[in-house]
Amino acid sequence: MNASISLPNSNAAQDTKEKLQISLLGNFRMQMGDYPISVARWKSKKALALLKYLVSKHGEKVPRDVLIELLWPEAETDKSAFHNLHTTIYYLRRSLKPYLGEDHDCIKYSNGLYWIELGDRIWVDIDEFVGSYRQGRELMATDPAASWHHFQQALLLYRDDFLAEDLYEDWAAAAREYYRERYIETTLLAAQLLAEYKQDYTSAVRLCRDALARDPYREELYQAILRYLIQAGRYSEAAVQYQQCAKMLHDEFGLSVSPETKAIYNQMKQLSPVEESLESSGTGSFVCEPQIFNSIVELDLRRQGELTTSPVVIQMTRPAGAFTYDQSQFLLTVLNTVLGRGDVVCQWESNQIAVWLEDPREEVARSVVQRIQQRLKAKPRMMGELSWRLTPVTQLKWPAGNHRAPQQRAYRIRKV
């Protein structure tokens, strides 16, 4: 099973090149093969709205009055409304014919009902998305590799929420919620496969965090991330993730974490007690994985603009090998007492911690290192030997499997 999300080279994928492809997940999109079709110049915007609606109904027959109410909710007379609908249907058929052929009319009408007949000439992403999700679920117990393949396809298709540009269309709200729920379920199940069959906890965490970025209020995503961080032995990150979940629920809804989330956290505490200062809400640094660390660094560089010196990253390495749980907890506690809310910490490698300061100048970094070293003297035997380095951001060697380092063009060094 391949942990990367990549487009499968399947016959089904090749077949779509011969069809009119309509995508409703994310901003509306049409294309024929590899060539996008612009709808910006469609003479009738109502025709485009009608196409979106009929495609979303999967061939369901829709009463004429429902379409009129949808497109002209304030129509004064039935006669004018019927005329407008007939005109809109005409424009829609004419707009689709160049891609479907003169002999193919996909817009059907009978006994006051309209519907779209997709046939074998039109491909729609929401149908493919739901089909891949369902096949993935069915195969989880019997064929994990095939199940992962289908979940991959579903995640690739979910570019964004259903008709993301039509947030204020009431009719799209229910569909938007339905497909988002399927996306969250797909993410959780795909992450489960990665963890159980490949023991790839890093990719499982990344999938869940991608989903959390789309829907930051899902406690089940926090729970999954906690489980995989704990299984990976990344206890410091798990503790911080728990804090973030607790803070989100309190700030947004006035709620406490659920008993299930608390139980996951307590399970980690039984492995080794968590420092009291780590459990508190705290005002210390933000802890994240290298991929997110990279994004934050690049964003900060763009915001800061011109700098008088080359920005540096603090790197502390344990030559003897990976940090133990107790060592990582103690080190994070120390960092939280020295660093501020604008500073960022990540587990760079199993034996290395990286720190990006809100003010990344070398002279500032040297002062911070001195304060950290002074605090570590409280338990000299806890950490053992540590090596320290201030690395210019352009010289960073990123861990395997992570995104590129911030590009040098992201900032300029001002000569003084």
Side-chain angles (χ1 to χ4, degrees), residues 164-265:
E165 80 273 39
D166 293 332
L167 290 178
Y168 302 107
E169 293 290 346
D170 292 340
W171 69 266
R176 185 172 297 117
E177 183 64 22
Y178 172 80
Y179 292 114
R180 177 182 285 191
E181 288 296 323
R182 301 294 80 74
Y183 165 70
I184 297 296
E185 291 177 27
T186 301
T187 296
L188 291 170
L189 293 173
Q192 181 182 332
L193 284 176
L194 286 171
E196 291 183 357
Y197 293 96
K198 194 176 175 65
Q199 287 75 55
D200 187 352
Y201 305 116
T202 297
S203 295
V205 167
R206 186 174 296 120
L207 278 183
C208 293
R209 281 180 171 162
D210 287 345
L212 196 62
R214 297 181 187 274
D215 194 342
Y217 306 124
R218 290 299 185 106
E219 192 173 359
E220 59 264 47
L221 289 172
Y222 281 101
Q223 292 168 357
I225 293 170
L226 284 174
R227 291 191 188 98
Y228 302 138
L229 288 175
I230 293 169
Q231 289 173 317
R234 293 157 61 180
Y235 303 112
S236 299
E237 285 186 63
V240 172
Q241 195 77 58
Y242 177 82
Q243 294 170 19
Q244 292 173 348
C245 178
K247 186 176 187 303
M248 178 276 296
L249 290 171
H250 179 270
D251 292 350
E252 297 293 333
F253 307 107
L255 300 174
S256 301
V257 296
S258 68
E260 183 178 358
T261 304
K262 185 67 175 177
I264 297 171
Y265 186 62

Side-chain angles (χ1 to χ4, degrees), residues 29-243:
R29 187 171 70 182
M30 291 176 60
Q31 64 186 70
M32 198 75 184
D34 296 327
Y35 300 98
I37 298 170
S38 174
V39 294
R41 296 182 180 179
W42 276 30
K43 184 174 181 179
S44 172
K45 299 303 179 184
K46 295 292 186 181
L48 178 59
L50 179 60
L51 175 63
K52 294 177 183 179
Y53 183 79
L54 290 178
V55 170
S56 75
K57 304 305 285 185
H58 313 283
E60 175 185 336
K61 297 179 180 180
V62 183
R64 177 176 52 191
D65 292 343
V66 171
L67 297 179
I68 290 174
E69 177 65 23
L70 174 73
L71 298 173
W72 300 277
E74 299 178 357
E76 295 182 359
T77 65
D78 290 343
K79 185 176 180 180
S80 63
F82 291 156
H83 174 76
N84 289 338
L85 179 59
H86 292 156
T87 302
T88 300
I89 293 290
Y90 167 77
Y91 281 126
L92 178 55
R93 284 173 170 152
R94 193 175 73 173
S95 298
L96 294 176
K97 276 189 177 182
Y99 312 105
L100 301 177
E102 291 292 333
D103 61 334
H104 186 79
D105 180 13
C106 64
I107 307 300
K108 303 298 182 179
Y109 173 80
S110 177
N111 298 324
L113 301 172
Y114 284 96
W115 70 96
I116 188 167
E117 191 173 272
L118 301 179
D120 58 358
R121 299 195 186 186
I122 302 177
W123 176 94
V124 180
D125 65 340
I126 52 175
D127 296 333
E128 190 77 13
F129 170 75
V130 172
S132 295
Y133 155 76
R134 289 174 176 169
Q135 287 179 301
R137 282 188 64 100
E138 292 173 1
L139 293 170
M140 277 193 72
T142 58
D143 192 344
S147 176
W148 165 250
H149 170 80
H150 290 298
F151 286 146
Q152 274 188 305
Q153 289 184 309
L155 292 174
L156 277 169
L157 288 167
Y158 198 89
R159 295 179 295 121
D160 203 344
D161 286 341
F162 177 84
L163 291 179
E165 80 273 39
D166 293 332
L167 290 178
Y168 302 107
E169 293 290 346
D170 292 340
W171 69 266
R176 185 172 297 117
E177 183 64 22
Y178 172 80
Y179 292 114
R180 177 182 285 191
E181 288 296 323
R182 301 294 80 74
Y183 165 70
I184 297 296
E185 291 177 27
T186 301
T187 296
L188 291 170
L189 293 173
Q192 181 182 332
L193 284 176
L194 286 171
E196 291 183 357
Y197 293 96
K198 194 176 175 65
Q199 287 75 55
D200 187 352
Y201 305 116
T202 297
S203 295
V205 167
R206 186 174 296 120
L207 278 183
C208 293
R209 281 180 171 162
D210 287 345
L212 196 62
R214 297 181 187 274
D215 194 342
Y217 306 124
R218 290 299 185 106
E219 192 173 359
E220 59 264 47
L221 289 172
Y222 281 101
Q223 292 168 357
I225 293 170
L226 284 174
R227 291 191 188 98
Y228 302 138
L229 288 175
I230 293 169
Q231 289 173 317
R234 293 157 61 180
Y235 303 112
S236 299
E237 285 186 63
V240 172
Q241 195 77 58
Y242 177 82
Q243 294 170 19

